[in-house]
Amino acid sequence: MQSDTLEGLPIFVRVVREGSFSAAARALDLTPSAVSKQIGRLEDRLSVRLFNRTTRRLGLTEEGAAFYERASRILADLEDAAQSVSSLKAVPRGRLRVTLPTAFGILHLLPALPDYIARHPEVTLEIDLNDRFVNMVEEGFDLALRIGDLEDSSLVGRRLAANRRVLAAAPAYLAGRPTPERPEDLAGHDCLIYTYRAQRHDWRLVDEAGQESFVSVSGKLETNNPMMLREAALSGLGIVLLPLWIIGPDLKAGRLQRILPTHHWPDSAIHAVYPPGRHLSARVRSFVDFLVERFAE
């Protein structure tokens, strides 16, 4: 790799992560023209166009996306090598970019963060709360919490805890209505629908013997936010299907009541995942170890 190509890598990666030349320039304490010149030199050196530029939007070309994936790994390896050579690998430090679902972040990670920060004061956390599927490599994240089945086999995953989703409703909703006794009874009730779930209106339930049932449900409220589903259930708007880590306290306090207590959605798990590599940075390792310590069963 030519030295001028290597010189342009950090600027290229920062432009992708910041989303614009001007934002990258501010982050790097450079002028926008200097950033633009470096990107131009890099494109000349590679003989490809890395960005599609318009007056309103900056996006990667297909070649740019492929180059970004490799460039991110190269910079991460260089940083790890520098830490190793300088005997700093044992001390977590630097910026750690983490993405995870909104509800888990607010309910569980946020209360735990003071302990992590107290232990590792040289780590700066950038937390992205997002319920959509995030491409970690393309968007430059070091670590993600994934709830459900792991579909991306290219990532390394470490299991943190079980994820059990159950049916529940408020006593106010059940008053004057027949409580469902079989999965098929749900079809006659107002069900609160989570729109990020594939086949959102088809609920799959399993009983204690492992027997599966499938029921089509409907209701008057659909949303992509599980915390709104919880609030809707507490307000008596219908039956909800949510993880115990969201509604467990409500069940214990009697604010919600289990529906079909012998049935639940097939169990999955909560994982911490990160891109594979020869070296796992100290800050990523420290955060994964902390998550296991805090949330493992």
Side-chain angles (χ1 to χ4, degrees):
M1 181 182 295
Q2 297 291 327
S3 60
D4 54 349
T5 303
L6 184 61
E7 181 183 1
L9 286 187
I11 294 177
F12 167 70
V13 169
R14 182 55 70 107
V15 169
V16 176
R17 292 179 178 176
E18 298 292 339
S20 71
F21 285 11
S22 58
R26 289 192 296 270
L28 296 169
D29 197 22
L30 297 172
T31 64
S33 61
V35 170
S36 181
K37 287 179 181 178
Q38 283 286 356
I39 297 300
R41 290 172 186 166
L42 186 58
E43 290 178 323
D44 291 342
R45 179 72 187 123
L46 298 172
S47 298
V48 297
R49 187 174 62 183
L50 298 172
F51 293 101
N52 289 316
R53 303 171 177 85
T54 68
T55 56
R56 294 185 177 181
R57 190 173 182 274
L58 183 70
L60 285 170
T61 63
E62 182 178 353
E63 296 82 1
F67 187 67
Y68 173 73
E69 181 175 348
R70 297 295 299 273
S72 298
R73 293 181 182 178
I74 289 171
L75 290 180
D77 284 346
L78 285 174
E79 183 175 353
D80 287 344
Q83 287 186 350
S84 178
V85 169
S86 60
S87 300
L88 296 177
K89 188 172 178 58
V91 181
R93 62 184 60 187
R95 179 173 293 273
L96 180 64
R97 303 188 73 231
V98 182
T99 181
L100 70 157
T102 303
F104 193 89
I106 294 174
L107 292 175
H108 297 285
L109 181 62
L110 181 58
L113 286 182
D115 288 346
Y116 177 81
I117 292 172
R119 295 185 198 180
H120 306 291
E122 296 187 55
V123 175
T124 299
L125 291 168
E126 180 181 336
I127 304 295
D128 172 76
L129 298 181
N130 208 317
D131 292 326
R132 67 176 175 83
F133 179 84
V134 174
N135 188 311
M136 293 182 59
V137 175
E138 288 185 3
E139 300 187 40
F141 286 100
D142 302 299
L143 184 72
L145 264 64
R146 295 273 166 86
I147 299 176
D149 298 327
L150 292 182
E151 299 179 357
D152 191 343
S153 60
S154 67
L155 299 176
V156 178
R158 189 164 176 185
R159 191 179 189 276
L160 301 180
N163 179 49
R164 172 161 292 191
R165 287 168 282 191
V166 302
L167 296 159
Y173 173 79
L174 296 172
R177 293 182 174 89
T179 300
E181 297 181 354
R182 303 171 300 171
E184 50 265 37
D185 294 340
L186 294 171
H189 282 266
D190 286 326
C191 294
L192 304 170
I193 308 299
Y194 182 50
T195 57
Y196 270 165
R197 181 180 296 127
Q199 299 177 324
R200 65 184 73 168
H201 296 104
D202 297 326
W203 284 4
R204 176 186 173 202
L205 302 173
V206 61
D207 64 15
E208 295 172 338
Q211 183 68 36
E212 288 191 341
S213 300
F214 297 85
V215 58
S216 295
V217 299
S218 61
K220 298 181 178 64
L221 176 64
E222 301 185 4
T223 179
N224 66 352
N225 189 293
M227 297 302 291
M228 186 174 182
L229 289 176
R230 171 184 174 269
E231 291 298 326
L234 290 170
S235 299
L237 294 183
I239 297 175
V240 73
L241 176 63
L242 281 176
L244 285 171
W245 54 262
I246 292 181
I247 60 173
D250 300 313
L251 293 170
K252 290 181 179 180
R255 294 185 293 268
L256 293 177
Q257 177 181 324
R258 280 285 299 270
I259 303 297
L260 298 174
T262 59
H263 290 73
H264 57 85
W265 187 276
D267 287 337
S268 58
I270 303 171
H271 289 87
V273 300
Y274 47 89
R278 294 184 299 276
H279 306 288
L280 186 62
S281 71
R283 59 185 178 276
V284 172
R285 187 181 302 279
S286 70
F287 201 73
V288 172
D289 290 344
F290 177 78
L291 293 175
V292 171
E293 174 189 322
R294 180 57 64 102
F295 301 119
E297 296 161 301

